[in-house]
Amino acid sequence: MNQPIPFDGLTAQITELNPVRAIGRVIRVEGGVIHVSGLAGKARIGDLVVVYRRGEPLSGEVLQLEGDVLVLLPDQAPDGVALQDRAALLEARGIAPSNAWGGRIIDPFGNPLDGKPLLRGAAARALRRPPPDPGLRRALGDRLNTGMAGLNTMLPIVKGQRIGLFAGSGVGKSSLLGHLAQNMAADIVVIAMIGERGRELRHFIEEVLGKDGLKRAVVVCATSDQSPLIRRRCAWAAMSVAEHFRDQGKSVLLLADSITRFAEAHREVAVAAGEAPVLRGFPPSTAHLIMSLCERAGPGQNDQGDITGIFSVLVAGSDMDEPIADILRGVLDGHVILDRDIAERGRYPAIDVLRSVSRSLPAAATEGQNELIAKARHLLSVYDNNAMMIRAGLYSAGSDPEIDAAIQIWSDLDAFLAKVEKQNVENSFTQLELILRRVRLPNGGTGIGQNMRPTSAA
């Protein structure tokens, strides 16, 4: 049987084995970092070092070079480290994805987490790579079917688009990501679970993602108890895996949960390296770190595929002006906001359509579809602006024809946004048009012109 990928990966792994390592000595432990001498001229920023404390290995990453001394941030607390402990230098490790990784759960180093053997790919990829040349990248592609009425119509996602999912805790973010992983059109799905609680991994795999969703996915996970180096690496590793499949011409869906924990992990690393947390608790390098990660997603160039990226953000107290949310809104191609009030009244997904936006519009829809979207958003806005008066019973029917129309259609539109059946884009627009035709506008018509007949833009 011809199995070139496993054997190529095994050969590459054997080739990289090096029996000779440079050895240094621990000279100081201070503030959670370890100072090592004897590796001057050999170590580089980002290299891995293993300190043997009482014979037990403690790995870490080189953060600073100070003359002939390197500063190392360990993966665990440096308990038990003594002066003159040996420190072995390793080269910076990338990740070597393989086409055989589909359906697997791995850590940020490419090691299996599902108890089954896993061979690396033939070629290692650097974790931090530049994005495709902006002058050669293709434009955004066709609209993708998500299986959700709201995202199929008013908040479309197209191939190569990068969108933010902003939500507080407990409002259905994980369920929404799981639905997209199962139903959204893509050749392969790469899921980054950054700083996730340990028990949540199995719950997400078994209950949210399911067997069918896992079959076409690669899950990269770093749990919350692991060091900030590993949690930060998780996002880069997942992006590198996504790029591996993109370079083969495939359409990749990347789900990163969450960029907030990625930024928090970087804050710990940057502060340990001496950077001041001046951006409301975050170091100045946070903005560039997030933007450089997001820029790697998107359309490829020439015969490459594309990476459609959905980056979740934990928003405390619905504060959309906190640093991470503010940075992402400026670099992404749209944002979807999940609202706690909507979730508490039982509507899933709890998407606040009026505060969300997809920058793929109006190009992603036909003229008729854009008119439908504009009409639906207008009526939702009219109801939202007068909701307090309506719910308090202070509004008298007939006082304002527009408010009457909004009240008439609001429950139907709200139910429409809760539709999560497996439906295509054209069916979703057909349902939206039927709803809008029921409402009577102040001029006695429906406001739907002859060009409103929806046609699929996918």
Side-chain angles (χ1 to χ4, degrees):
M1 183 179 293
N2 185 21
Q3 293 181 317
I5 294 177
F7 284 112
D8 286 352
L10 182 60
T11 301
Q13 194 165 351
I14 293 173
T15 302
E16 290 183 358
L17 294 176
N18 185 359
V20 179
R21 295 179 180 175
I23 300 295
R25 296 286 176 175
V26 174
I27 60 171
R28 187 164 77 252
V29 180
E30 180 182 12
V33 297
I34 301 172
H35 298 250
V36 176
S37 67
L39 296 175
K42 302 181 181 68
R44 299 168 296 179
I45 297 293
D47 280 350
L48 301 180
V49 173
V50 177
V51 176
Y52 293 93
R53 50 176 180 177
R54 301 173 182 172
E56 294 292 328
L58 172 65
S59 60
E61 183 177 311
V62 177
L63 293 184
Q64 290 179 304
L65 301 174
E66 300 176 351
D68 60 348
V69 176
L70 61 87
V71 179
L72 169 73
L73 179 63
D75 289 344
Q76 303 172 20
D79 298 343
V81 175
L83 297 180
Q84 298 304 311
D85 277 349
R86 290 183 304 124
L89 177 65
L90 309 177
E91 290 187 0
R93 288 175 57 188
I95 192 167
S98 165
N99 291 348
W101 284 12
R104 302 301 303 274
I105 308 168
I106 63 173
D107 71 8
F109 296 93
N111 301 314
L113 293 177
D114 50 13
K116 295 179 287 188
L118 180 72
L119 287 177
R120 52 162 285 168
R125 305 178 71 95
L127 290 178
R128 303 183 69 173
R129 296 162 53 89
D133 189 328
L136 300 177
R137 297 185 89 157
R138 300 189 308 276
L140 295 176
D142 296 332
R143 179 163 37 191
L144 297 170
N145 179 36
T146 65
M148 310 186 85
L151 295 180
N152 276 355
T153 54
M154 289 186 253
L155 297 168
I157 302 175
V158 301
K159 280 187 178 181
Q161 186 172 357
R162 299 163 302 182
I163 199 161
L165 181 61
F166 297 79
S169 58
V171 295
K173 171 175 56 65
S174 296
S175 297
L176 178 55
L177 290 174
H179 175 92
L180 295 175
Q182 287 179 304
N183 298 283
M184 197 163 167
D187 296 322
I188 188 77
V189 181
V190 179
I191 303 171
M193 301 184 69
I194 307 164
E196 193 59 82
R197 291 166 289 182
R199 68 171 183 83
E200 288 294 327
L201 171 61
R202 187 164 181 176
H203 171 76
F204 181 83
I205 297 299
E206 296 179 355
E207 304 297 331
V208 179
L209 190 58
K211 290 183 179 179
D212 292 338
L214 182 60
K215 285 179 182 177
R216 63 168 190 158
V218 180
V219 181
V220 186
C221 180
T223 53
S224 59
D225 62 303
Q226 294 181 291
S227 81
L229 290 170
I230 298 176
R231 285 182 274 130
R232 186 178 66 165
R233 181 187 175 98
C234 182
W236 292 330
M239 184 64 76
S240 295
V241 173
E243 290 171 336
H244 165 79
F245 291 104
R246 178 206 63 194
D247 292 349
Q248 299 178 30
K250 295 184 178 180
S251 178
V252 184
L253 173 61
L254 173 67
L255 306 176
D257 185 22
S258 71
I259 296 301
T260 303
R261 290 192 287 259
F262 170 66
E264 289 170 347
H266 173 69
R267 174 173 59 190
E268 294 181 53
V269 176
V271 170
E275 198 172 347
V278 296
L279 184 63
R280 289 180 61 179
F282 289 92
S285 59
T286 302
H288 177 262
L289 186 86
I290 292 174
M291 289 187 285
S292 62
L293 176 73
C294 294
E295 279 295 330
R296 292 168 63 180
Q301 57 189 46
N302 302 325
D303 57 349
Q304 291 179 342
D306 47 72
I307 300 174
T308 304
I310 299 180
F311 303 91
S312 76
V313 184
L314 292 169
V315 182
S318 301
D319 181 11
M320 290 296 293
D321 293 324
E322 61 93 19
I324 307 307
D326 197 43
I327 292 168
L328 274 170
R329 279 208 317 273
V331 73
L332 297 180
D333 306 314
H335 51 272
V336 174
I337 298 175
L338 301 186
D339 185 83
R340 187 172 301 279
D341 290 337
I342 296 176
E344 287 175 349
R345 62 177 170 82
R347 199 247 278 169
Y348 167 82
I351 297 174
D352 187 336
V353 172
L354 297 178
R355 296 172 62 205
S356 304
V357 64
S358 172
R359 292 176 182 163
S360 64
L361 288 175
T366 65
E367 182 181 356
Q369 291 170 348
N370 279 315
E371 289 184 29
L372 281 172
I373 294 168
K375 181 61 183 174
R377 292 183 73 102
H378 175 70
L379 289 171
L380 287 172
S381 177
V382 169
Y383 185 91
D384 185 70
N385 291 337
N386 297 278
M388 185 177 296
M389 180 173 60
I390 295 169
R391 291 168 185 164
L394 301 177
Y395 175 73
S396 299
S399 301
D400 187 314
E402 254 195 355
I403 298 178
D404 290 338
I407 294 173
Q408 178 188 345
I409 203 173
W410 182 84
S411 60
D412 289 337
L413 282 178
D414 194 61
F416 170 77
L417 294 173
K419 287 183 178 293
V420 294
E421 301 97 353
K422 294 183 178 180
Q423 53 186 343
N424 59 38
V425 173
E426 185 173 359
N427 288 341
S428 296
F429 271 106
T430 299
Q431 293 171 27
L432 181 60
E433 181 186 21
L434 290 174
I435 292 171
L436 293 175
R437 285 191 178 277
R438 297 176 196 150
V439 68
R440 307 308 300 177
L441 300 181
N443 60 8
T446 63
I448 300 177
Q450 294 300 315
N451 60 342
M452 295 294 281
R453 183 67 56 186
T455 56
S456 174

